[in-house]
Amino acid sequence: MSSDQTSIHWFRQDLRVADNPALLSAARSGRVIPVYIFDDPIPQEFRIGGASRVWLHHSLDSLNHTLNGHLRCFRGNSETILEKLCKEYNVKHVAWNRAYDPWRIEQDTKVKAKLHSIGIKGQSFNGSLLWEPWETLKADGSPYRVFTPFYKNGCLSADVPRPPLSAPQICYYDEKLEPSNLDNLGLLDNQSWEADLISKWRVGEDAASAKLKIFLNEGIKNYKNGRNFPAQQSVSRLSPHLRWGEISVNTVWYATKKQLKESPHLSENANHFLSELGWREFSHSLLYHFPFLPTKNLNQRFEKFPWVKDQVGLKAWKSGCTGIPIVDAGMRQLWNTGYMHNRLRMIVGSFLVKNLRIHWHDGQAWFWDTLFDADLANNSAGWQWIAGCGADAAPYFRIFNPVTQGLKFDPDGSFIRQFVPELGKVPAKYIFDPWNAPQDILATSGVVLGETYPNPIVDLKISREKALESFATLKA
């Protein structure tokens, strides 16, 4: 391609400059017009959620700053907008990184066909995964449905992931272009919740790189064990940055490998972290090969499961007012920070689908709306795993006891005290099940059950028995 050719780089879930294969291709082709299109040609229930809109706005703002104000933002149909831009600026090449949501795959096909029909080269690249879903199949060509062989045989036995690419030198299209128009995307509603939510995070490519460095220097030392304790700083918290592509998984993978080479004593912890990146790959493989993953049970037996419609229970769960402290702490962390620790995701998920027997679709929808890292593959596969109806899922009869989970993973109650301050003075002995605390202890702690803190909305033992009875009907 000639050096004076104009190319478009179409940003999607790759809001970064470093290790961006499509951006590098566009930059090598000549002048570049960086473009982001807010386009939701998808089922209504999976349109971008409230928390994601907040993160996206600030991430695009950060990216535009990195691109020296050259990012152009549009809202509407991607195919139509790209065709218009190509004709307006005599563009001969459009490059983007692939996304794996079913409707994005369909969109890519249509865009490539349209560009080809008007004589423009459209190229898509892998900027999101270590291995493409079609590269990690069994010997017979079928997809894996169990994680361990997927990771060991499908991933680690395949070609090594490509090393990260350097940030390109970009020659921007030098004629007058319209401003970025980020505010015209309408991503923010100017609610105080949005401002408070994002204030707890640094957003953007530089923030993601800094967070990775901190984690590899500190958090990874106790990752395998410490990752289960929500009050500890032993997790990376990179998930929102990975979800929006502010850092590539290849960068994270190779940086971890480098740290492991320099510090062999970190082997157990580093390899465990790498396997968690493998779970991300597994979820995307499942979504690619089973595009119904967000809406239907992988285990079809669960189509007949007797789920309970309980709007009162669902509302209490969403608001962190179930009367079960560790569950409420997790749900309030989610609402107040746009994030939830992975151990808590399992605990609150188990409580919803087993103790309350509310359909996993309701939990999936709430996480989709409130998580900064709301990713279709991870969210859908995660909820199916919790509900026992997914690939390599926890059996439905594995029901987390939130009291014992709290005792084990928040032993001094510090995480509960942080997010459920009304229990702040309750002794650790009773903070996980305050309904069992003597009345004088509650009075001294300033707690009146049913007034200052809710009574449990279900009996844990009885609700567990009912869940097992419901599961038994599937066998019949």
Side-chain angles (χ1 to χ4, degrees):
M1 296 183 182
S2 66
S3 60
D4 61 350
Q5 177 176 285
T6 300
S7 296
I8 287 175
H9 173 64
W10 176 23
F11 282 100
R12 298 201 294 177
Q13 297 172 9
D14 57 333
L15 306 182
R16 64 181 184 273
V17 173
D19 193 31
N20 190 322
L23 180 60
L24 180 62
S25 175
R28 285 174 172 171
S29 301
R31 299 172 299 180
V32 178
I33 302 175
V35 167
Y36 180 84
I37 305 171
F38 185 56
D39 181 0
D40 262 352
I42 59 179
Q44 180 67 38
E45 65 267 30
F46 294 114
R47 292 193 173 183
I48 183 172
S52 291
R53 293 168 76 96
V54 176
W55 189 284
L56 176 59
H57 176 92
H58 290 277
S59 188
L60 288 171
D61 188 46
S62 175
L63 177 63
N64 187 42
H65 184 265
T66 301
L67 297 173
N68 298 319
H70 288 278
L71 179 66
R72 298 189 69 195
C73 295
F74 301 89
R75 181 170 187 157
N77 181 275
S78 295
E79 182 182 337
T80 302
I81 291 170
L82 288 171
E83 180 183 9
K84 180 176 181 293
L85 289 172
C86 288
K87 290 178 178 178
E88 187 173 353
Y89 298 107
N90 194 29
V91 171
K92 298 299 182 184
H93 175 226
V94 180
W96 66 90
N97 291 305
R98 287 187 280 277
Y100 300 87
D101 301 356
W103 38 87
R104 296 299 183 197
I105 294 174
E106 182 180 351
Q107 182 186 60
D108 282 10
T109 302
K110 290 180 178 179
V111 168
K112 280 185 179 179
K114 171 57 71 176
L115 293 175
H116 179 73
S117 72
I118 57 176
I120 296 168
K121 184 175 183 179
Q123 279 186 296
S124 62
F125 298 81
N126 177 12
S128 301
L129 298 175
L130 294 166
W131 297 276
E132 295 280 25
W134 50 86
E135 296 174 344
T136 54
L137 301 173
K138 298 179 186 177
D140 64 3
S142 63
Y144 287 95
R145 293 177 62 133
V146 178
F147 171 71
T148 300
F150 166 82
Y151 185 56
K152 290 185 176 179
N153 302 328
C155 297
L156 298 184
S157 297
D159 293 339
V160 297
R162 61 162 181 77
L165 306 167
S166 299
Q169 293 292 321
I170 304 174
C171 176
Y172 297 103
Y173 186 85
D174 55 5
E175 295 183 26
K176 269 287 186 186
L177 296 175
E178 298 174 13
S180 69
N181 294 322
L182 173 57
D183 290 338
N184 291 344
L185 300 186
L187 295 171
L188 300 182
D189 293 328
N190 296 318
Q191 296 178 359
S192 59
W193 172 72
E194 295 175 339
D196 185 58
L197 198 64
I198 204 67
S199 68
K200 301 174 178 68
W201 294 82
R202 286 184 59 216
V203 179
E205 185 171 5
D206 289 345
S209 297
K211 190 169 290 183
L212 174 62
K213 185 176 181 179
I214 291 170
F215 171 66
L216 292 178
N217 287 336
E218 299 297 333
I220 203 169
K221 295 175 182 177
N222 187 39
Y223 178 77
K224 185 175 182 181
N225 180 57
R227 66 184 295 271
N228 285 306
F229 295 81
Q232 294 186 16
Q233 302 300 314
S234 298
V235 293
S236 71
R237 295 208 175 198
L238 284 168
S239 56
H241 302 287
L242 284 167
R243 186 266 180 265
W244 293 106
E246 295 173 349
I247 193 169
S248 76
V249 66
N250 299 68
T251 296
V252 177
W253 179 271
Y254 276 93
T256 306
K257 287 282 192 180
K258 181 174 182 290
Q259 186 80 351
L260 178 56
K261 185 176 181 180
E262 295 173 353
S263 307
H265 64 281
L266 294 175
S267 174
E268 187 176 32
N269 290 296
N271 283 319
H272 197 87
F273 177 65
L274 292 173
S275 75
E276 291 301 313
L277 297 179
W279 272 101
R280 180 179 181 273
E281 300 286 312
F282 186 47
S283 295
H284 280 82
S285 174
L286 291 173
L287 179 62
Y288 180 81
H289 293 292
F290 306 100
F292 58 84
L293 185 73
T295 56
K296 294 183 180 179
N297 303 301
L298 273 174
N299 183 339
Q300 304 240 336
R301 283 197 306 160
F302 276 82
E303 294 297 320
K304 295 183 180 293
F305 189 87
W307 299 109
V308 173
K309 292 189 181 296
D310 178 6
Q311 290 303 313
V312 174
L314 180 60
K315 182 179 179 181
W317 179 80
K318 288 180 177 180
S319 59
C321 295
T322 67
I324 311 295
I326 194 67
V327 172
D328 292 343
M331 297 306 295
R332 295 185 196 186
Q333 181 190 38
L334 172 60
W335 180 254
N336 286 291
T337 70
Y339 169 84
M340 189 189 294
H341 188 277
N342 187 64
R343 169 58 56 175
L344 296 169
R345 297 188 196 202
M346 293 188 285
I347 295 171
V348 306
S350 175
F351 183 80
L352 181 75
V353 301
K354 296 174 182 178
N355 295 98
L356 299 182
R357 284 175 293 138
I358 294 175
H359 203 298
W360 60 270
H361 282 170
D362 291 308
Q364 176 193 40
W366 186 246
F367 274 24
W368 183 254
D369 196 38
T370 54
L371 278 172
F372 279 144
D373 63 21
D375 170 275
L376 190 67
N378 292 328
N379 195 37
S380 304
W383 274 100
Q384 290 224 34
W385 184 90
I386 290 168
C389 58
D392 201 11
Y396 185 86
F397 53 79
R398 181 188 177 193
I399 300 173
F400 284 92
N401 183 314
V403 173
T404 55
Q405 288 284 307
L407 280 164
K408 185 174 183 180
F409 298 115
D410 187 29
D412 62 358
S414 58
F415 184 81
I416 291 175
R417 295 179 211 283
Q418 180 182 356
F419 288 99
V420 190
E422 58 265 48
L423 299 180
K425 295 181 180 179
V426 176
K429 181 178 180 180
Y430 299 109
I431 198 168
F432 308 103
D433 54 349
W435 58 90
N436 286 327
Q439 192 58 44
D440 61 326
I441 295 291
L442 292 177
T444 303
S445 304
V447 175
V448 180
L449 293 180
E451 294 184 19
T452 63
Y453 184 71
N455 283 301
I457 61 174
V458 290
D459 180 286
L460 294 176
K461 182 179 179 182
I462 293 174
S463 61
R464 181 181 188 278
E465 292 170 355
K466 288 183 177 179
L468 294 176
E469 289 171 5
S470 297
F471 179 64
T473 65
L474 298 185
K475 299 178 182 178

